[in-house]
């Protein structure tokens, strides 16, 4: 699924919400019966030194390396004790073809890296983008201006969002902040 929208309409928040609801589990969990693993990746991390620390053999499977790097880049990861930290072998074993039906890959911010990926200057990133589309369940966000028909055609579905209008914002505020109505009106 390709999720497209302008700046600030909630694309990243949407992916964060999916991740949160999946992790919450139980009867209120999202996709709990469908996916055993949900990986949310910020594509702008491609501009970091994400390949450092991996061997040439590891980088034969760059998507696995990038997902692991992305997970380790999350602020909460630093607070985990060593017993609960993700091991390279665990990720490499999980992300394989036999688990494809149970993995959801959420890619955030294609528009931030579109020209870099499409340039083909980095063969490891080119290989990684090929690996991404071998997975069955991929949801990627982007601003519309970064997409070309070749990229759009890699997805079965395309969803465009315009965000919330003034009336929708009011409904949202009323629904979720009704107890704090006076405080909100003073600040607005």
């Amino acid at each position: 699924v390709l999720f497209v929208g302008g700046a600030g309409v909630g694309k990243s928040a949407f992916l964060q919400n999916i991740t949160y609801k999946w992790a919450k589990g139980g009867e209120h969990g999202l996709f709990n019966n469908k996916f055993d693993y949900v990986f949310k990746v910020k594509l702008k991390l491609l501009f970091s030194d994400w390949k450092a620390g991996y061997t040439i053999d590891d980088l034969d499977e760059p998507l696995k390396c990038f997902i692991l790097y992305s997970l380790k880049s999350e602020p909460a990861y630093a607070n985990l004790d060593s017993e609960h930290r993700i091991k390279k072998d665990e990720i490499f074993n999980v992300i394989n073809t036999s688990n494809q039906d149970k993995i959801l890959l959420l890619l955030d911010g294609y528009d931030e890296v579109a020209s870099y990926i499409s340039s083909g200057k980095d063969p490891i990133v080119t290989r990684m983008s090929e690996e991404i589309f071998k997975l069955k369940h991929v949801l990627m966000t982007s601003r519309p201006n970064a997409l070309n028909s070749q990229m759009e055609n890699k997805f079965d579905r395309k969803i465009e969002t315009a965000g919330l209008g003034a009336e929708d914002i009011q409904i949202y505020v009323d629904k979720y902040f009704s107890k704090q109505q006076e405080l909100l009106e003073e600040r607005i």
Side-chain angles (χ1 to χ4, degrees):
V1 175
L2 179 59
F3 191 69
V4 180
V9 298
K11 299 178 303 291
S12 297
F14 176 64
L15 294 189
Q16 186 63 34
N17 192 24
I18 288 173
T19 307
Y20 169 76
K21 287 185 174 183
W22 174 82
K24 191 174 179 178
E27 65 184 61
H28 301 291
L30 182 66
F31 300 134
N32 288 104
N33 296 330
K34 177 90 174 143
F35 302 113
D36 290 342
Y37 306 96
V38 174
F39 299 110
K40 184 174 76 69
V41 174
K42 296 175 185 171
L43 289 172
K44 67 183 174 184
L45 291 174
L46 284 173
F47 295 125
S48 67
D49 195 20
W50 68 273
K51 295 178 231 171
Y54 293 109
T55 67
I56 292 172
D57 288 340
D58 290 341
L59 289 171
D60 278 342
E61 299 180 283
L63 180 59
K64 294 176 182 182
C65 296
F66 188 63
I67 289 173
L68 179 59
Y69 178 84
S70 298
L71 294 172
K72 289 182 173 184
S73 297
E74 288 294 322
Y77 187 81
N79 298 327
L80 295 174
D81 56 49
S82 61
E83 177 184 333
H84 293 98
R85 290 192 175 193
I86 300 163
K87 312 290 187 288
K88 180 178 82 171
D89 292 341
E90 292 172 327
I91 289 295
F92 277 44
N93 289 333
V94 164
I95 305 169
N96 62 46
T97 53
S98 64
N99 283 333
Q100 275 199 26
D101 288 332
K102 294 296 187 175
I103 295 172
L104 173 60
L105 180 60
L106 305 173
L107 302 171
D108 192 23
Y110 176 74
D111 54 285
E112 298 177 60
V113 298
S115 61
Y116 178 62
I117 289 174
S118 63
S119 74
K121 292 179 182 176
D122 187 335
I124 293 174
V125 171
T126 300
R127 191 170 340 120
M128 184 181 78
S129 67
E130 292 166 0
E131 287 180 15
I132 287 169
F133 294 104
K134 289 180 183 176
L135 294 174
K136 289 183 178 181
H137 308 288
V138 177
L139 193 157
M140 184 173 80
T141 67
S142 181
R143 293 182 187 173
N145 62 330
L147 298 168
N148 58 35
S149 59
Q150 182 182 3
M151 180 55 72
E152 287 185 18
N153 291 336
K154 293 182 179 189
F155 293 91
D156 295 330
R157 302 240 191 290
K158 178 181 173 185
I159 300 170
E160 290 192 50
T161 182
L164 299 177
E167 186 176 319
D168 296 323
I169 291 171
Q170 186 61 47
I171 292 169
Y172 177 83
V173 170
D174 289 345
K175 183 176 178 182
Y176 291 101
F177 300 105
S178 61
K179 293 180 184 174
Q180 300 172 9
Q181 185 86 21
E182 290 178 14
L183 179 61
L184 287 174
E185 289 175 357
E186 289 173 13
R187 293 187 178 190
I188 296 177

